[in-house]
């Protein structure tokens, strides 16, 4: 990679991995080549921390990881938390009330990896088929919590609900209407689950803000960052990075924000991009 780019921020689902959740050998080699050229590679994912750790280990990355759409930054070697977007107890209570009154299930992510679970589920609130299926696919990853109002759990940095696209878009709108300026939300779909997520985090929390926190520690400017992704939680980093790249399978909003659109995650689009950049052959449109 040319000296212009010193940090490569990579989304996971729909970008780094293909539809079978695999990192292809071509992609693996491209990432190794980038690191060999002195580029810092940072995974910046919507996945919760426990689901990012195996990918980082597989790629032999020693850099911190950005997880939960920017709400948590951790070291995978010793699971030290470098930063998290803590919910105040008051905001947590208000979010829980809005989601419950809207009739949707709710879970809050906690910085609890070393305690053996990832998130707290509202035990007394509504549920639906999407959340029930989610819990079935993630056995042992949650703890039920009885009272988000009077005794909110500690170390919470993000929350989520599950439903149809229309339901989650409506929930996001309701959260912003009742809690104006207090939240960042993303409505998106993970290939692993049915239904759509409504992610909710303290205002200003994005993958880009988290990547910039790390970059600043390393003396790297935004202009020296290349970011690659495919979904709405990648928009900020693709829009603001020195080079923002959208995958061929990206949503139209992300493609419109990118300087360069590469082949899809099924066609090793990430490897394609890294190879051309290392060779100094970035298309002029970028």
């Amino acid at each position: 990679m040319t000296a212009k780019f010193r940090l490569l921020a990579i989304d996971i689902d729909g970008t780094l991995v293909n539809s079978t959740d695999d990192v292809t050998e071509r992609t693996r080699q491209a990432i190794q080549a980038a690191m060999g050229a002195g580029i810092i590679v940072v995974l910046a994912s919507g996945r919760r921390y426990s689901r990012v750790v195996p990918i980082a280990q597989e790629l032999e990355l020693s850099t911190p990881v950005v997880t939960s759409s920017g709400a948590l930054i951790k070291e995978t070697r010793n699971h030290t938390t470098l930063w998290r977007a803590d919910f105040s107890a008051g905001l947590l209570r208000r979010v829980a009330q809005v989601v419950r009154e809207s009739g949707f299930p709710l879970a809050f992510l906690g910085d609890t990896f070393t305690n053996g679970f990832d998130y707290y589920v509202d035990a007394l609130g509504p549920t639906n088929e999407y959340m029930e299926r989610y819990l079935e696919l993630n056995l042992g990853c949650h703890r039920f919590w009885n009272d988000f109002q009077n005794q909110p759990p500690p170390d919470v940095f993000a929350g989520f609900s599950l439903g149809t696209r229309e339901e989650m878009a409506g929930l996001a709108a309701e959260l912003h209407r009742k809690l104006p300026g207090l939240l960042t939300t993303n409505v998106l779909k993970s290939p692993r689950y049915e239904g759509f997520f409504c992610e909710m985090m303290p205002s200003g929390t994005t993958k880009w803000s988290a990547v910039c926190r790390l970059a600043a520690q390393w003396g790297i400017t935004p202009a020296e960052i290349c970011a690659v992704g495919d979904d709405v939680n990648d928009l900020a980093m693709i829009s603001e990075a020195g080079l923002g790249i959208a995958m061929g399978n990206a949503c139209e909003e992300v493609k419109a924000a990118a300087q360069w659109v590469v082949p899809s995650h099924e066609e090793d689009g990430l490897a394609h991009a890294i190879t051309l950049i290392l060779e100094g052959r970035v298309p002029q449109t970028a």
Side-chain angles (χ1 to χ4, degrees), residues 5-286:
F5 302 113
R6 299 171 56 199
L7 190 157
L8 177 62
I10 304 173
D11 169 52
I12 294 180
D13 291 303
T15 301
L16 174 65
V17 299
N18 59 22
S19 60
T20 56
D21 203 31
D22 294 317
V23 180
T24 68
E25 184 58 30
R26 183 183 173 195
T27 296
R28 189 190 320 277
Q29 289 179 3
I31 290 172
Q32 291 296 322
M35 292 192 293
I39 306 306
I40 297 174
V41 175
V42 172
L43 298 182
S45 178
R47 293 186 181 194
R48 61 187 188 274
Y49 176 69
S50 67
R51 294 198 62 233
V52 175
V53 172
I55 300 287
Q57 292 174 340
E58 178 184 350
L59 294 173
E60 300 180 346
L61 297 177
S62 60
T63 47
V65 293
V66 172
T67 70
S68 297
S69 294
L72 184 67
I73 307 174
K74 290 181 79 75
E75 293 271 12
T76 59
R77 290 171 295 182
N78 53 19
H79 310 304
T80 299
T81 298
L82 301 182
W83 182 85
R84 69 179 178 231
D86 288 314
F87 265 104
S88 67
L91 181 56
L92 188 154
R93 292 187 186 99
R94 295 172 72 185
V95 168
Q97 182 177 359
V98 173
V99 176
R100 180 179 283 192
E101 290 176 351
S102 298
F104 296 110
L106 174 64
F108 281 117
L109 289 159
D111 192 0
T112 52
F113 176 80
T114 55
N115 295 327
F117 69 101
D118 297 332
Y119 49 93
Y120 303 94
V121 175
D122 187 359
L124 304 180
T127 188
N128 60 22
E129 61 183 301
Y130 302 108
M131 181 63 84
E132 290 172 1
R133 181 60 175 155
Y134 181 89
L135 298 182
E136 289 174 2
L137 291 172
N138 293 278
L139 292 175
C141 294
H142 71 281
R143 298 290 184 272
F144 284 113
W145 195 266
N146 288 329
D147 195 349
F148 284 140
Q149 290 299 318
N150 298 311
Q151 293 182 311
D155 302 334
V156 166
F157 53 85
F160 66 89
S161 187
L162 280 160
T164 67
R165 182 199 292 268
E166 293 75 17
E167 287 173 339
M168 292 301 95
L171 176 59
E174 184 71 357
L175 285 163
H176 289 296
R177 185 180 74 82
K178 291 188 173 179
L179 303 172
L182 297 180
L183 295 173
T184 293
T185 61
N186 296 304
V187 175
L188 42 76
K189 192 176 191 308
S190 166
R192 189 166 185 246
Y193 306 111
E194 300 170 11
F196 283 74
F197 287 84
C198 176
E199 298 180 332
M200 50 205 84
M201 300 160 287
S203 180
T205 304
T206 65
K207 290 184 183 182
W208 178 242
S209 64
V211 167
C212 285
R213 283 180 181 275
L214 293 174
Q217 295 176 11
W218 299 323
I220 296 173
T221 67
E224 296 173 304
I225 300 172
C226 174
V228 193
D230 74 306
D231 214 333
V232 293
N233 58 347
D234 300 314
L235 269 173
M237 69 176 188
I238 287 176
S239 300
E240 300 295 332
L243 177 60
I245 300 174
M247 301 296 290
N249 50 285
C251 64
E252 292 305 315
E253 191 176 1
V254 171
K255 288 181 180 179
Q259 297 164 270
W260 184 16
V261 178
V262 297
S264 76
H265 65 321
E266 300 286 47
E267 304 168 285
D268 288 322
L270 175 61
H272 173 82
I274 293 173
T275 299
L276 290 188
I277 296 171
L278 285 172
E279 295 174 353
R281 295 195 289 134
V282 179
Q284 292 302 310
T285 54

